[in-house]
Amino acid sequence: HQRDHPDFLFLLAQLSERQGRVANAGELYERLIERCPNNAHFHLGFAQYLKIQDRADDAERHFRRSITLEPTLLEAKYYLAMLLLSTGRHGEAVAYGEGLVSANKRQSKYWELLAAAHQRSDQLQSAISICERGLSFCPKSPRLSYSLAQLLRERCDFERAALAYQAAKELGFQSPALYQNYSEAL
């Protein structure tokens, strides 16, 4: 029956989640994992759901299961690294970030993650270098330019920070913080 097909259940779980029917989404994800325990994408979807529900330990378990099942699934590694970063495990986040940027140097969010992990590990100069290197591969990334500006400002390199804020602005980055930080750097 089509209603019991795993792909249909997966879409239904995602739809329920987006509609705010979290209990229903959770039940659907659990049913899906029970029926298809070796599908990396289903574990990834469930992990993302669990993370939003503030169930970090359960989310981590499913992110890791997803990676075990499909080691080349960069999205799972990225979200696991973000979870590790948010739970203070910066060293592990650095390791995943390094793997991500070596797998795909053109994905700016991987560079941002790696820079943030270095920054939170009190390696400000490394974080700056990572942003600069990332911009050599992703020169049109407004968020990466903004991240560089923030790091330069933190190091009190206001002249270079202002240039990076200007670049972020010209690339389309918009936020009240950008204008405030840019004006303070100037």
Side-chain angles (χ1 to χ4, degrees):
H1 196 263
Q2 299 228 341
R3 289 180 163 281
D4 291 330
H5 192 278
D7 291 336
F8 178 77
L9 289 175
F10 187 51
L11 289 172
L12 195 58
Q14 291 177 319
L15 179 63
S16 294
E17 186 179 353
R18 286 189 181 103
Q19 291 176 337
R21 298 183 352 239
V22 292
N24 187 49
E27 290 170 14
L28 288 166
Y29 278 121
E30 286 176 12
R31 225 168 85 200
L32 190 59
I33 295 298
E34 200 174 285
R35 292 171 121 200
C36 303
N38 296 321
N39 185 305
H41 295 275
F42 296 165
H43 281 279
L44 174 58
F46 192 29
Q48 290 172 305
Y49 162 83
L50 292 165
K51 172 81 172 75
I52 291 168
Q53 301 308 311
D54 291 323
R55 293 174 55 191
D57 291 344
D58 292 331
E60 181 178 343
R61 191 173 71 251
H62 286 280
F63 282 132
R64 289 188 187 280
R65 180 71 177 137
S66 179
I67 293 165
T68 298
L69 292 168
E70 195 172 318
T72 59
L73 188 55
L74 297 181
E75 189 178 4
K77 291 178 180 183
Y78 173 75
Y79 285 113
L80 174 59
M82 293 296 287
L83 178 74
L84 294 167
L85 194 59
S86 72
T87 56
R89 291 176 282 169
H90 307 135
E92 274 188 274
V94 165
Y96 275 101
E98 287 171 351
L100 288 164
V101 297
S102 68
N104 185 349
K105 290 178 176 42
R106 303 255 179 239
Q107 186 64 260
S108 64
K109 69 181 182 179
Y110 297 165
W111 292 101
E112 290 173 50
L113 163 74
L114 183 58
H118 276 267
Q119 177 196 22
R120 292 186 191 169
S121 298
D122 296 321
Q123 298 173 357
L124 184 59
Q125 185 53 49
S126 290
I128 290 169
S129 297
I130 288 163
C131 281
E132 290 171 336
R133 188 162 170 242
L135 282 165
S136 72
F137 291 99
C138 312
K140 296 192 183 306
S141 172
R143 290 186 49 85
L144 196 52
S145 293
Y146 183 76
S147 295
L148 174 61
Q150 292 288 87
L151 293 167
L152 290 167
R153 185 168 162 259
E154 186 177 329
R155 196 178 72 186
C156 299
D157 189 343
F158 299 114
E159 189 174 323
R160 287 182 59 213
L163 292 172
Y165 284 125
Q166 178 66 33
K169 181 176 166 258
E170 288 172 0
L171 290 168
F173 190 90
Q174 294 293 320
S175 87
L178 168 80
Y179 293 100
Q180 179 180 344
N181 295 331
Y182 183 29
S183 64
E184 287 175 9
L186 289 172

